[in-house]
Amino acid sequence: MAHLESRKHISPDSGFPITLHPRFNPKITGHAPPDPLREEIVPEKDRALFADPEKKALFSVAKRVDLTESVGTVLENVQLSQLTPQQLDELALLVTERGVVFFRDQDLDTDGQVKLFEHYGVLDKHPAQKDVRHVVIRGSREDHREILKYTPWPSGDFHADTSFEINPPSYSLLRMEEHPEVGGDTAWVSTYGLYDALSDAMKRFVDGLHAIHTSRLQYDTILDLWGVGPNRPPIDSHHPAVRTHPVTGLKALHVNPGFVTGFAELKKVESDKLLDFFAYHIHSADDHAVRWKWAVGSVAMWDNRCTNHRVIPGSYEAPRRGIRTTVFGEKPYFDPASEGRLEREQRLKADKLAVSSAAETEVAKEEAVKLAADSTLTPA
């Protein structure tokens, strides 16, 4: 990464690069994005809402293997290219529930991937994306901890795809075309689980906050590190720190270290401390995380509304190249009447126990009445 502007300015005292603010970089100050900022859209009804809740059509052709309790499922013995519209809807529902669904040895090509994903909505376009249909995803062989001295965006950290947009993506699909034998894994963490793992007091506090999602740090880094021009000007969006998922109705923590820089309702130091906590909270959530080992032909489909993800950097030499397609989602919102995933599970369990208890009571009453009737009919 010697082409980073900051690394070209060396201190005569330490022998290390002098850290310069990216705005000193003429590539950044001189860039004029060709496209305007986006305006809010209202996407079509989520395809998962058309699905059979039991997913009978999908599971009739695919074997389900859950990788962890909280997040991540592999579907075996199935080709995405062969799924019917009904099965694709049921796949979307499974993704909203499990966060990310994986496939191996797929026969999709780029045209087939684009056609398949158009079933889920209007294709999104990343700010650095040149092809309107897809973006190329490569690996990370840099020490992301070290380059943070010279470029402001934490590119190696957890994020939801372009969460700063007015309409952040709902579903994303990544298909791997080239990959090293070892290295280049991707990790996902469930934001349903992240919300559940908070204390009740913290949940009540965060429920009322708005997280500041910004593209400014990525905007500067794209120009300096990637050497390409972002299509759109930088944007700051205030999204609910806890969002309600439109399909599952569940609460999910809508905070990620990649794009969130603070909280609208808090003062600077308060925001910084809360961000530090959430960085710890996300990285320590092994019980709500899954790590996927890629191979050529592997596919992952995930829901950005209930997961964060990151590529795991490494020192591998072989190329890593994947094709990613995404679709627009709804503007994030928070419904105070929604519930957490764990809260729902506990409520349903309590309801089931109450129904069972009521049924047992009714049976006991019937037996008591029968016994009383029998005793009256028996001669003394």
Side-chain angles (χ1 to χ4, degrees):
M1 295 300 167
H3 57 281
L4 280 168
E5 185 66 23
S6 295
R7 285 187 170 166
K8 299 175 185 176
H9 304 269
I10 307 300
S11 165
D13 300 310
S14 69
F16 285 87
I18 300 167
T19 302
L20 299 176
H21 190 279
R23 290 292 174 188
F24 283 98
N25 187 337
K27 287 186 294 184
I28 295 172
T29 56
H31 178 65
D35 299 336
L37 286 171
R38 287 172 168 168
E39 295 183 0
E40 182 185 351
I41 64 168
V42 178
E44 294 293 324
K45 185 177 178 181
D46 196 298
R47 294 306 311 180
L49 293 169
F50 295 94
D52 167 18
E54 296 182 13
K55 312 173 193 69
K56 294 188 189 76
L58 179 63
F59 293 148
S60 70
V61 298
K63 179 185 176 184
R64 171 180 177 167
V65 179
D66 291 343
L67 298 180
T68 76
E69 290 181 83
S70 181
V71 62
T73 293
V74 179
L75 289 185
E76 297 179 343
N77 309 322
V78 65
Q79 288 292 333
L80 278 162
S81 62
Q82 302 302 312
L83 294 183
T84 66
Q86 181 183 357
Q87 290 166 337
L88 289 174
D89 289 347
E90 292 175 8
L91 171 59
L93 180 58
L94 181 63
V95 171
T96 67
E97 295 168 350
R98 296 294 299 165
V100 56
V101 175
F102 303 105
F103 303 82
R104 292 202 182 276
D105 302 317
Q106 296 297 295
D107 60 11
L108 277 176
D109 59 13
T110 299
D111 288 339
Q113 176 179 341
V114 168
K115 183 179 178 182
L116 180 151
F117 223 58
E118 285 176 335
H119 176 78
Y120 294 114
V122 177
L123 293 178
D124 191 3
K125 184 179 179 182
H126 188 276
Q129 188 172 331
K130 299 308 175 189
D131 190 312
V132 72
R133 305 184 310 160
H134 66 269
V135 63
V136 176
I137 302 296
R138 302 192 185 276
S140 175
R141 284 176 278 193
E142 296 299 315
D143 182 349
H144 63 281
R145 303 170 183 88
E146 191 265 344
I147 63 173
L148 269 176
K149 290 195 296 185
Y150 311 118
T151 189
W153 177 47
S155 56
D157 217 330
F158 278 104
H159 62 283
D161 289 334
T162 58
S163 64
F164 47 76
E165 299 286 11
I166 297 174
N167 287 91
S170 52
Y171 304 107
S172 292
L173 186 144
L174 178 59
R175 175 180 57 88
M176 203 56 65
E177 293 189 332
E178 296 179 285
H179 206 272
E181 288 292 323
V182 178
D185 299 355
T186 303
W188 281 263
V189 61
S190 169
T191 52
Y192 294 146
L194 290 176
Y195 182 79
D196 288 342
L198 297 173
S199 66
D200 289 343
M202 180 62 88
K203 287 175 185 174
R204 289 192 294 271
F205 175 55
V206 180
D207 279 353
L209 297 181
H210 287 81
I212 302 167
H213 295 246
T214 184
S215 70
R216 295 181 186 278
L217 306 183
Q218 188 191 60
Y219 179 93
D220 291 355
T221 302
I222 284 173
L223 282 161
D224 196 16
L225 185 61
W226 296 1
V228 296
N231 302 315
R232 302 183 291 279
I235 183 175
D236 303 284
S237 299
H238 289 198
H239 292 315
V242 177
R243 69 183 297 176
T244 301
H245 196 289
V247 175
T248 64
L250 296 176
K251 292 180 180 179
L253 184 68
H254 193 40
V255 176
N256 66 77
F259 297 121
V260 173
T261 56
F263 298 90
E265 291 82 359
L266 302 185
K267 296 178 180 178
K268 179 67 167 60
V269 176
E270 295 170 339
S271 275
D272 290 347
K273 296 302 181 185
L274 189 56
L275 285 174
D276 285 345
F277 163 72
F278 279 130
Y280 160 79
H281 187 60
I282 292 168
H283 280 272
S284 65
D286 292 345
D287 50 339
H288 295 293
V290 65
R291 178 166 171 164
W292 178 246
K293 180 175 172 57
W294 291 98
V296 174
S298 292
V299 169
M301 179 175 168
W302 67 93
D303 189 338
N304 291 283
R305 299 167 295 186
C306 59
T307 59
N308 291 334
H309 65 277
R310 68 185 289 252
V311 64
I312 309 298
S315 58
Y316 47 86
E317 296 295 330
R320 182 183 189 273
R321 184 178 190 275
I323 303 298
R324 191 183 76 196
T325 43
T326 67
V327 291
F328 286 105
E330 72 289 343
K331 183 178 179 180
Y333 68 95
F334 174 68
D335 179 1
S338 56
E339 56 190 346
R341 182 174 63 180
L342 180 60
E343 181 185 2
R344 176 178 291 176
E345 289 172 358
Q346 292 172 338
R347 175 178 59 79
L348 292 176
K349 185 176 180 181
D351 290 347
K352 187 176 180 181
L353 287 172
V355 169
S356 175
S357 176
E360 289 174 2
T361 303
E362 192 61 32
V363 169
K365 283 180 181 176
E366 290 173 1
E367 289 178 350
V369 169
K370 185 174 181 297
L371 185 60
D374 288 347
S375 64
T376 13
L377 294 172
T378 304

